[in-house]
Amino acid sequence: MFFRIISGTTLAILLALSPLSHAANSAPTVQEGDWVANEFTFNSGEKLNDLRIHYYTLGDRSKPAVLLLHGTNQPIKALLAPGFAGELFTPGAALDSSKYFIIIPESIGSGKSSKPSDGLRMNFPHYDYDDMVAAQYRLIKEGLGISHLRLVMGYSMGGMQTWLWGEKYPTMMDALVPMASQPNELSGRNWMMRRMLIESIKADPAWAQGNYQQQPPALKTANIMFSIATTGGTLNYQHKAPTRALADKLVDERLAAPVTADANDFIYIWSSSANYNALPALNRITAPMLIINSADDERNPVETGILSGELHKIKQAELFLIPASVETSGHGTMMSAKFYRDKLRAFLAATPARQDKK
């Protein structure tokens, strides 16, 4: 299969993040690149020529590879910020970038990867999480020539994709760390809010069946509503906004922020989770798994008991539940790696390289 790697550009972003290094000149650099498949067939049966997957890497490609998967509409810079990268990629940390080759792809529909706003708008092929995982796999195998991964780890959407990685390619990795996610199909508040995001944009006359000249106003309000309802935590929000005036201030700040999303991209990526369901194939997972969730995760309520009722199907799995506090932020807690950095380091230290590499 034809592919090409567009040479990466060294970014200065990590050089500016002092927590990533003891000295500026020893900070890990980030490389950017694109892998392009001349043809990609989606689960829907639709095909796309020249599917582009943009990706970032840190470290030496001769080192054990780590695949890190982002959340829905999450900019990669969030994974390079001090609260995450500064806790995990530094010397001696769990994912020390001098010891691992860290690969962070942008999913289909995100960032600089192929997406509806490139020109096809609502004629872009309809994709799902299985398509995203298949594209990631081809990037790893065909684009980067890597046959085995030390770790697959992801947050939210990336966490759900981590479950799928363990099922689809069970011998390809030593370990799996899904975060802020569960294996069951989208349901309850999680799916209801996603559905409302999509419907509110489609109901806006300015959307014009996807042929808008300017971003429809519903895009901003829908996104803010979803974020407030499903990210931030109960105790944390009350701590930040104990009065109506402070709550209004938080809302006003969000309303004043510029719109950086595209409505069609937004509809597609939230719709892509509709048929996700990793429950039926849990017994295919053979790599040791550390599941990291927070007790105040609004999208994945621990009270449902879903995880505790399903973990017995996995050969080796442990749930690490971060207690709710004024410091946690609900579904967004995973961006503060201080809560689980030590647990992740201990898990990797206790998880040897597998002997069944293929």
Side-chain angles (χ1 to χ4, degrees), residues 132-161:
M132 294 181 186
V133 170
Q136 293 158 4
Y137 176 80
R138 290 185 60 184
L139 163 67
I140 297 299
K141 295 281 284 189
E142 300 175 32
L144 297 175
I146 294 171
S147 60
H148 192 79
L149 297 164
R150 173 64 176 140
L151 170 69
V152 178
M153 174 175 168
Y155 160 69
S156 189
M157 177 179 77
M160 289 187 275
Q161 291 168 4

Side-chain angles (χ1 to χ4, degrees), residues 95-151:
L95 301 180
D96 184 338
S97 59
S98 69
K99 297 180 179 179
Y100 293 107
F101 181 55
I102 301 169
I103 308 159
I104 313 174
E106 290 184 310
S107 71
I108 297 172
S110 298
K112 299 176 185 177
S113 292
S114 293
K115 56 189 180 296
S117 62
D118 290 343
L120 290 177
R121 294 197 170 198
M122 295 301 287
N123 290 318
F124 192 86
H126 292 82
Y127 59 85
D128 58 21
Y129 284 6
D130 288 313
D131 293 319
M132 294 181 186
V133 170
Q136 293 158 4
Y137 176 80
R138 290 185 60 184
L139 163 67
I140 297 299
K141 295 281 284 189
E142 300 175 32
L144 297 175
I146 294 171
S147 60
H148 192 79
L149 297 164
R150 173 64 176 140
L151 170 69

